[in-house]
Amino acid sequence: AKKVVLKEDPSLPIATKIKIRNGVDNRGKRVKVSGWVHRLRVQGKNMMFVILRDGTGYLQCVLTDNLCQTYDALTLTLESTIIVYGVINELPAGKTAPDNHELTVDYWECIGKAPGGDDAISNKVNENSDPSVKYDLRHLVLREERASGILKVRSQVLKAFRDHFDSRGFYEVTPPCMVQTSVEGGSTLFELNYYNEKAYLTQSSQLYLETCLPSLGDVYCLAESFRAEKSHTRRHLSEYTHCEAEMAFISFDDLLDQIEDMICDVIDRTLAHKPTADIVYKLNPDFKRPERPFMRMDYSDAIKYLKDNDIKKEDGTFYEVGEDIPEAPERAMTDKINRPILLCRFPAEIKAFYMKRCPENRALTESVDVLMPGVGEIVGGSMRISDLEELMAAYKREGLDPSPYYWFTDQRKFGTSEHGGFGLGIERYIAWMLNLYTVRDTCLYPRFTGRAFP
Ligand code: 4AD
């Protein structure tokens, strides 16, 4: 066989370099597109179809005649990197391809060949692979449409949270991750050696946000939180992205309203972005925006609900007032009610030290968990103790040494205020929106018990 060597035709117009997402706007003119071979179909000797992927989209490319007879064409493999030159034209009726168009290639180059056969990615990992293999090869799995689609939604969700808070007048702050105080109890702290002093990875930025109120007013952050969770569940990670907000001069009802407003506004903003909405409905065709107002339910009524609906502990007994409602019954209740629930007023003894008591019943706290069907808790929040004496008593009751918290305590000394806030787990929020089985699929590289790689 004679060796076919391609040469770019110098009489053609100079190609404009574009990304695939801009294909529609660049139809009819000569373009240059770089990407990875996502799909490959050879049709006889004189025609080859490549679906090219560049992260911004997918583009069907048609190679004909000597373009598909070169050595590189005959040995082309999935995931190889190529540059194609040519003109994008709308497809005739009856044919389908991404964006309803295709690039007719007039010249192309192979930049990097990927292995084929036994060493091809699809032979190392595919949808039937064991989960642990998928996590080991997460860097390759990310190239799939589903995995990358979820990350694209995640990107837009993070933007939607930022836009939401910006539109409501909040400042964004970036608190430190290396800390020397616990927020949510000592049992889930990751300890580290900090220049021979004991320090931890933060569980929550809440206490720092509280210190910002007198200087910046309402504030929020999107930061990593860390939990040494012993539980190996589909909604617990060791590292997660925590969206936290703190507001001054509000009431408990204001707090509940703001949480509901945020969840609904973030959904609207996410779906207003057409490419993201397309992915959301592809991954979760039944997605429906929740109805407002959300159901508001007291913890004591949840205990009653569990009894009335025969939702029991593993030992066959019922949950009683004063007990924590674990993941399984919480899910069972939320799935049965099948709409978002603002679950309010938990007993003080099962909640964190900083929570404000209910004026009408001092055994309860002005606290809230938001429960979503399919996932359960996605938000935890509360009003905070604003009184100095009460906070000192709370440290004592919890067995916390107040000295490392001096800066937190000072907020109650130097001009205190009624205030409150909440934290939302981004991974749980996305798992709910996309109806995913596990929050792990919403992470670039998930961190959970026994896994800190890749
Ligand atoms: O309920 P949590 O522990 O509340 C706090 O940390 C408060 N200090 C937040 C605040 O008021 N500023 O956590 C808040 C949310 C949970 O509702 C959940 O969505 C998420 O953080 N979360 C986790 N997500 C994934 N993996 C874990 N191990 C998580 N722990 C909490």
Side-chain angles (χ1 to χ4, degrees):
K2 79 172 183 339
K3 204 170 164 204
V4 181
V5 179
L6 297 182
K7 267 212 342 251
E8 190 177 359
D9 180 348
S11 70
L12 291 172
I14 292 177
T16 316
K17 182 175 160 187
I18 65 158
K19 294 280 186 194
I20 292 175
R21 71 153 72 86
N22 301 319
V24 173
D25 295 337
N26 286 284
R27 283 181 185 167
K29 58 180 176 223
R30 192 159 183 265
V31 294
K32 166 180 173 179
V33 193
S34 306
W36 288 261
V37 177
H38 190 64
R39 304 258 180 274
L40 184 61
R41 184 160 57 89
V42 180
Q43 209 169 72
K45 256 181 60 183
N46 296 319
M47 199 176 244
M48 195 160 108
F49 292 91
V50 170
I51 302 283
L52 193 67
R53 180 189 78 233
D54 74 349
T56 76
Y58 300 89
L59 175 66
Q60 175 158 295
C61 308
V62 200
L63 288 73
T64 50
D65 303 326
N66 64 345
L67 291 168
C68 54
Q69 287 155 7
T70 62
Y71 177 77
D72 278 344
L74 297 171
T75 58
L76 192 61
T77 47
L78 293 178
E79 297 304 329
S80 296
T81 12
I82 61 173
I83 307 178
V84 292
Y85 301 71
V87 177
I88 298 176
N89 292 305
E90 201 175 337
L91 282 178
K95 295 198 172 177
T96 55
D99 290 326
N100 214 22
H101 62 204
E102 68 185 10
L103 186 145
T104 306
V105 178
D106 60 50
Y107 176 69
W108 72 284
E109 296 165 73
C110 183
I111 300 300
K113 275 267 174 65
D118 285 351
D119 289 331
I121 292 180
S122 55
N123 274 317
K124 291 178 182 287
V125 61
N126 56 52
E127 58 203 60
N128 303 318
S129 302
D130 189 77
S132 73
V133 173
K134 288 189 190 172
Y135 293 123
D136 288 349
L137 298 181
R138 177 86 181 148
H139 57 296
L140 302 178
V141 170
L142 291 174
R143 299 176 179 218
E144 291 172 358
E145 264 170 84
R146 180 177 181 276
S148 57
I150 295 169
L151 292 183
K152 288 175 186 177
V153 172
R154 183 181 170 113
S155 165
Q156 201 63 31
V157 163
L158 291 173
K159 179 173 185 302
F161 273 102
R162 288 205 161 89
D163 290 347
H164 166 78
F165 284 113
D166 186 50
S167 77
R168 303 299 191 266
F170 285 62
Y171 281 107
E172 177 174 2
V173 292
T174 50
C177 283
M178 301 160 99
V179 303
Q180 292 191 307
T181 43
S182 88
V183 185
E184 299 298 325
S187 70
T188 61
L189 281 173
F190 275 112
E191 205 176 297
L192 65 115
N193 177 329
Y194 191 80
Y195 307 109
N196 293 326
E197 267 188 66
K198 199 189 266 190
Y200 314 103
L201 295 175
T202 188
Q203 296 169 308
S204 159
S205 300
Q206 175 197 322
L207 308 191
Y208 293 121
L209 293 186
E210 289 186 51
T211 67
C212 295
L213 294 175
S215 51
L216 301 172
D218 298 346
V219 284
Y220 78 99
C221 67
L222 273 164
E224 298 296 282
S225 279
F226 304 86
R227 308 273 171 114
E229 300 281 1
K230 277 80 194 171
S231 50
H232 210 91
T233 81
R234 53 192 169 113
R235 71 176 197 196
H236 283 93
L237 296 161
S238 311
E239 171 174 356
Y240 70 97
T241 302
H242 205 171
C243 173
E244 295 185 273
E246 201 67 28
M247 287 87 70
F249 308 113
I250 57 164
S251 66
F252 185 46
D253 276 331
D254 294 335
L255 176 68
L256 301 182
D257 290 344
Q258 296 218 25
I259 293 172
E260 185 179 316
D261 170 53
M262 174 191 70
I263 292 174
C264 296
D265 186 47
V266 167
I267 295 167
D268 290 344
R269 287 174 189 274
T270 306
L271 295 178
H273 186 252
K274 173 81 167 57
T276 305
D278 289 347
I279 304 173
V280 170
Y281 287 111
K282 192 167 178 197
L283 292 169
N284 184 10
D286 298 327
F287 180 77
K288 281 185 196 68
R289 292 174 212 237
E291 269 173 47
R292 296 184 74 170
F294 290 179
M295 181 177 187
R296 295 184 184 192
M297 188 186 209
D298 276 351
Y299 159 89
S300 55
D301 294 324
I303 295 288
K304 187 168 176 305
Y305 183 98
L306 296 179
K307 284 189 178 152
D308 291 349
N309 288 272
D310 209 35
I311 301 170
K312 294 179 183 162
K313 295 186 202 167
E314 268 175 19
D315 68 6
T317 62
F318 282 112
Y319 292 94
E320 300 296 338
V321 171
E323 285 182 300
D324 195 22
I325 304 175
E327 181 168 340
E330 178 194 279
R331 262 182 203 278
M333 177 179 84
T334 314
D335 290 352
K336 204 156 181 176
I337 294 174
N338 199 26
R339 51 183 287 212
I341 307 166
L342 291 160
L343 190 59
C344 302
R345 299 182 182 86
F346 291 82
E349 65 265 26
I350 59 169
K351 283 293 185 185
F353 74 94
Y354 51 73
M355 291 190 181
K356 188 182 150 82
R357 305 280 178 139
C358 294
E360 69 280 7
N361 181 349
R362 307 275 305 162
L364 304 180
T365 53
E366 289 191 323
S367 52
V368 57
D369 280 0
V370 180
L371 312 181
M372 292 307 225
V375 184
E377 182 199 327
I378 66 162
V379 174
S382 76
M383 296 300 291
R384 324 300 192 191
I385 295 175
S386 58
D387 180 73
L388 180 62
E389 298 311 314
E390 209 178 317
L391 181 63
M392 298 316 287
Y395 290 133
K396 195 162 178 197
R397 196 187 61 241
E398 294 293 315
L400 287 171
D401 173 8
S403 47
Y405 291 91
Y406 71 93
W407 47 274
F408 182 68
T409 311
D410 271 357
Q411 301 307 309
R412 282 82 189 156
K413 276 188 198 160
F414 298 95
T416 193
S417 66
E418 290 302 325
H419 66 288
F422 59 86
L424 173 144
I426 292 291
E427 292 77 9
R428 290 191 188 178
Y429 175 86
I430 296 169
W432 165 73
M433 194 169 192
L434 300 181
N435 191 28
L436 304 177
Y437 176 76
T438 165
V439 293
R440 295 174 185 177
D441 288 357
T442 72
C443 303
L444 180 61
Y445 290 108
R447 294 291 181 256
F448 51 91
T449 332
R451 181 166 296 271
F453 67 93

